[in-house]
Amino acid sequence: MKTDPILSNFIVIPVLSVLLVALIVMILIRSDRVRSKIVSILRVSLIIGVAFMINMRPSLKRYNAEIELKNIDVLFVVDSTISMWAEDYNGSKTRMDGVQATCDYILEELAGSNFALIRFDNRAQILAPFTQDARSVSDAFSTIRQPDVYYAKGSSLNVPYEEIKEMLISSSKKDERKTVIFFISDGEITDDSKLMSYAELEPYLDGGAVLGFGTKQGGKMQADNGYSRRYVQDKEKKTDAVSSLNEENLEQIARDLQVEYMNVQDPEVVGALLDSIKTGSSIRMEEAEMVTYEDVTYILGIVMGVLLIWQLIAVVLQRKL
């Protein structure tokens, strides 16, 4: 069994424990028969226990599952410089919140494809080579953290070039496969470098998009990974630094790669593009000799529903827990 908690256990366990103890004390001080108290304690304990399991979001292993395979290699290239935590995505969310939501949407819509992930700030890193395990790629996204203010040395869109080339060449060696790229950034260059041409990579591609996150008005970036309201400072102006979307740089990369450029404030903006990618791919069903995970939280939801109905009946009929 694999778990993926919704909320941290450091929060959930103390809260549920305190709630359970409080309910048990309320039951024990009542003047009911012992049998009635035991049934009530059992019921609230089951409710609390199932609530804990729902938060854990368990998944069960499935072996040799029949899966739908597409002949597509999808490469995500994600800018993880500090400006990607500017708070101007869909209101006041960070750009990286939008990146995570959009990439999860793409992973779901293109399920059965091979996926790979490159992130870059001061350096580029291949977080996931091409794999059909979309969940492992999604998990790799969750490892991307905001760089320390003192680590950040300025932004350059040239950093991931060699890693992108390496992954595209690897994909091109496979028979009858289409290669798609999603280059994701706010387009900022702050290290005085000149944007290099990506045109040499175009022959390796069959589609994709350059996805821009942010607004031209810009947004401020919290300096402590969201744990405080202290913002990154502009040392020259001595005010909160503001990062703004640079669409000109992103549009140049899109022209070089001969793919679309899109500004994203909602994941479904890429929906039509994904439909066209799926339409142009061949699909086959295969018994995969691999481990997949099936989310069984919905079963626990049914159990919780039954327990709550039981609790409601007890309250209505007995006017007690």
Side-chain angles (χ1 to χ4, degrees):
M1 179 181 290
K2 187 175 182 178
T3 58
D4 184 16
I6 300 170
L7 297 175
S8 169
N9 285 336
F10 292 108
I11 298 173
V12 173
I13 291 176
V15 170
L16 292 182
S17 297
V18 170
L19 179 59
L20 179 60
V21 170
L23 291 172
I24 291 175
V25 170
M26 290 173 61
I27 293 170
L28 291 176
I29 62 177
R30 293 201 316 244
S31 59
D32 291 347
R33 291 177 299 176
V34 173
R35 181 178 177 181
S36 177
K37 291 182 179 180
I38 292 174
V39 172
S40 295
I41 291 173
L42 174 63
R43 184 169 59 246
V44 297
S45 297
L46 286 173
I47 291 172
I48 296 297
V50 173
F52 173 75
M53 288 303 299
I54 288 174
N55 179 71
M56 293 298 291
R57 200 160 58 181
S59 298
L60 295 179
K61 285 184 178 180
R62 293 180 59 194
Y63 297 90
N64 298 321
E66 186 178 70
I67 61 174
E68 184 181 78
L69 299 178
K70 298 181 177 68
N71 66 328
I72 308 172
D73 281 351
V74 180
L75 175 61
F76 294 105
V77 182
V78 177
D79 181 347
S80 58
T81 55
I82 196 168
S83 63
M84 291 297 288
W85 274 264
E87 298 173 339
D88 62 349
Y89 170 77
N90 195 17
S92 60
K93 294 182 180 179
T94 70
R95 295 169 186 172
M96 195 55 74
D97 288 335
V99 171
Q100 179 76 65
T102 303
C103 291
D104 282 343
Y105 178 70
I106 294 171
L107 287 166
E108 181 177 350
E109 289 296 310
L110 297 182
S113 304
N114 284 344
F115 299 97
L117 171 61
I118 297 172
R119 57 156 289 279
F120 69 95
D121 44 36
N122 296 344
R123 64 186 182 90
Q125 181 183 12
I126 299 173
L127 291 183
F130 285 113
T131 175
Q132 290 175 356
D133 187 354
R135 182 156 186 170
S136 70
V137 178
S138 180
D139 289 344
F141 272 102
S142 67
T143 68
I144 299 176
R145 294 288 183 266
Q146 179 178 339
D148 186 272
V149 175
Y150 301 103
Y151 168 78
K153 298 178 181 178
S155 305
S156 171
L157 299 181
N158 302 331
V159 172
Y161 184 89
E162 291 300 327
E163 284 74 13
I164 295 173
K165 185 176 181 179
E166 174 186 340
M167 297 300 289
L168 295 184
I169 291 175
S170 170
S171 177
S172 70
K173 293 179 180 178
K174 304 172 186 176
D175 293 333
E176 298 182 355
R177 294 200 70 81
K178 295 181 179 295
T179 305
V180 172
I181 191 170
F182 289 99
F183 189 102
I184 299 169
S185 175
D186 54 26
E188 275 200 329
I189 297 177
T190 60
D191 67 349
D192 298 325
S193 63
K194 182 180 179 181
L195 179 60
M196 65 189 299
S197 172
Y198 275 75
E200 183 184 339
L201 304 181
E202 185 276 328
Y204 299 110
L205 291 172
D206 298 290
V210 174
L211 305 181
F213 285 79
T215 61
K216 290 189 175 181
Q217 294 78 16
K220 297 185 292 186
M221 301 143 283
Q222 292 188 37
D224 298 305
N225 300 312
Y227 295 116
S228 77
R229 301 304 296 181
R230 184 170 68 88
Y231 286 95
V232 175
Q233 296 295 297
D234 184 320
K235 295 179 180 179
E236 294 182 2
K237 297 180 181 179
K238 299 187 184 304
T239 59
D240 294 336
V242 174
S243 167
S244 300
L245 173 69
N246 187 320
E247 292 191 303
E248 291 75 15
N249 289 332
L250 298 177
E251 289 170 346
Q252 179 180 324
I253 294 175
R255 285 193 297 270
D256 288 346
L257 298 177
Q258 294 188 25
V259 298
E260 294 185 57
Y261 166 72
M262 301 178 183
N263 178 248
V264 181
Q265 290 293 323
D266 184 305
E268 295 190 7
V269 166
V270 301
L273 172 61
L274 300 181
D275 288 341
S276 67
I277 291 172
K278 287 186 287 187
T279 300
S281 69
S282 62
I283 300 173
R284 61 189 173 89
M285 301 299 293
E286 182 175 289
E287 287 288 331
E289 294 185 2
M290 58 183 291
V291 176
T292 59
Y293 290 88
E294 181 180 1
D295 191 335
V296 295
T297 307
Y298 72 95
I299 297 176
L300 295 171
I302 295 172
V303 174
M304 177 63 82
V306 173
L307 290 173
L308 291 177
I309 291 172
W310 182 17
Q311 176 68 25
L312 179 62
I313 292 173
V315 170
V316 171
L317 296 182
Q318 304 174 24
R319 296 185 179 179
K320 60 184 70 173
L321 289 172

